[in-house]
Amino acid sequence: MPRPFVAYLRVYEPLSAFPPASRDRLRHLAEKSPVDRADVGNHEQLMWLKSQDYGLAALPGERADGSPFPVREVMTARSASGDLLVCPLDLRARAAAAIVGFLSTAGDSLREATLGGAAEKLRQKAGAVLGELTGGAVHVVSTTWTVPLPWFVLVLPDERVMADGSVYWQVPMGTARKRVQRAFELAESTFGESGPTKVLQDTSRWLAHFHEASLVELDYGGLVELLDEETIESDTSAEDVNAILDAIEHPDPGAVAERFERLREFWSDLAVRERMQ
């Protein structure tokens, strides 16, 4: 079964970053039943489908009465020194955030056709769930059909890993924060406060919620289902985005235009497929 066409930005934190009451459970899950990277998309989709047995207002990761289950899904990584790092999938909170985003951007007719009279109830519930979020931020953000180009400022081409049908990058939190700050300053001076600058600002604020010893991961997730091996091998997105930053820093308009064109050509095919669905 193909994975959902979703890409991810994740943060893996050391156990010391979590409340003491949850550390033993997180350690147990991390050691006994972590979610595999290649399976996470299908797992999340199944959890959402199961939640709908409880009704439209139900969120994945909660009981029929709306109360949350204890943390049940985590992914794991290792720091450069070998320490265990944990990324809770935060499905309930992510679903709540998605609802808030949908209600904030969808037109009245779309909200009515999708949610009917449940919109206000869902808004209140989603707000309450987000208010309960430990640390103030989910550990995972995702996007469908594409990867936001500003995310590539976090990684370098030679940091890419291709293994077991997955394509991903992992970088230390300190490195990720420095890279996104540099990119934000260059984007703000070049493009103003909108577009890529806003994405970089939001990404920087998100990263600030987490422990400095964390690991940041950019994962193509299910997008690999849309790309053949040759296309993946020839993907220069990380190289192109970083070359654009260099060309902005040491003004070279021709290089900026050339790299943007390469990025447009690579990602336009996925954009066409999305519109055909």
Side-chain angles (χ1 to χ4, degrees), residues 36-276:
D36 186 81
R37 182 181 292 101
D39 296 331
V40 68
N42 287 330
H43 177 79
E44 291 181 347
Q45 185 180 60
L46 179 60
M47 290 294 294
W48 181 84
L49 290 172
K50 285 182 175 179
S51 74
Q52 297 311 289
D53 290 340
Y54 301 144
L56 183 62
L59 300 176
E62 66 182 23
R63 302 179 177 90
D65 64 2
S67 62
F69 283 110
V71 178
R72 297 196 297 179
E73 302 93 7
V74 302
M75 297 177 66
T76 61
R78 292 284 176 178
S79 69
S81 60
D83 294 329
L84 176 67
L85 303 175
V86 176
C87 175
L89 297 189
D90 294 334
L91 292 176
R92 186 169 181 258
R94 286 165 58 199
I99 289 171
V100 171
F102 174 77
L103 292 174
S104 299
T105 58
D108 292 342
S109 59
L110 180 57
R111 287 199 301 270
E112 179 63 27
T114 306
L115 303 175
E120 187 55 34
K121 179 181 178 181
L122 278 169
R123 186 193 304 275
Q124 294 175 3
K125 177 175 181 177
V129 170
L130 292 176
E132 299 167 0
L133 190 61
T134 301
V138 294
H139 288 76
V140 184
V141 292
S142 59
T143 181
T144 56
W145 292 95
T146 190
V147 176
L149 295 182
W151 285 7
F152 286 106
V153 307
L154 298 167
V155 301
L156 297 180
D158 60 3
E159 294 166 341
R160 182 173 68 171
V161 177
M162 295 187 292
D164 301 323
S166 298
V167 177
Y168 63 96
W169 292 256
Q170 292 181 341
V171 296
M173 176 61 76
T175 300
R177 286 174 175 166
K178 289 178 182 177
R179 289 174 178 173
V180 77
Q181 181 61 31
R182 174 199 177 220
F184 169 74
E185 293 172 358
L186 290 171
E188 185 179 40
S189 64
T190 305
F191 306 114
E193 297 181 354
S194 60
T197 308
K198 181 64 167 60
V199 176
L200 291 166
Q201 184 178 51
D202 290 345
T203 303
S204 179
R205 289 172 176 170
W206 177 64
L207 293 177
H209 284 91
F210 302 104
H211 194 283
E212 60 185 8
S214 300
L215 197 66
V216 181
E217 178 178 87
L218 170 57
D219 179 10
Y220 273 17
L223 298 188
V224 296
E225 305 282 352
L226 302 171
L227 306 169
D228 59 36
E229 185 175 347
E230 182 179 354
T231 301
I232 292 174
E233 288 282 356
S234 64
D235 174 22
T236 59
S237 297
E239 175 186 337
D240 292 333
V241 169
N242 281 279
I244 288 171
L245 293 179
D246 292 341
I248 292 173
E249 195 168 34
H250 307 286
D252 186 349
V256 171
E258 178 185 350
R259 295 287 183 167
F260 267 124
E261 180 61 21
R262 287 175 60 172
L263 289 163
R264 187 195 67 78
E265 290 180 357
F266 183 85
W267 292 103
S268 61
D269 182 54
L270 297 188
V272 169
R273 294 193 194 188
E274 180 181 14
R275 289 194 294 269
M276 292 173 62

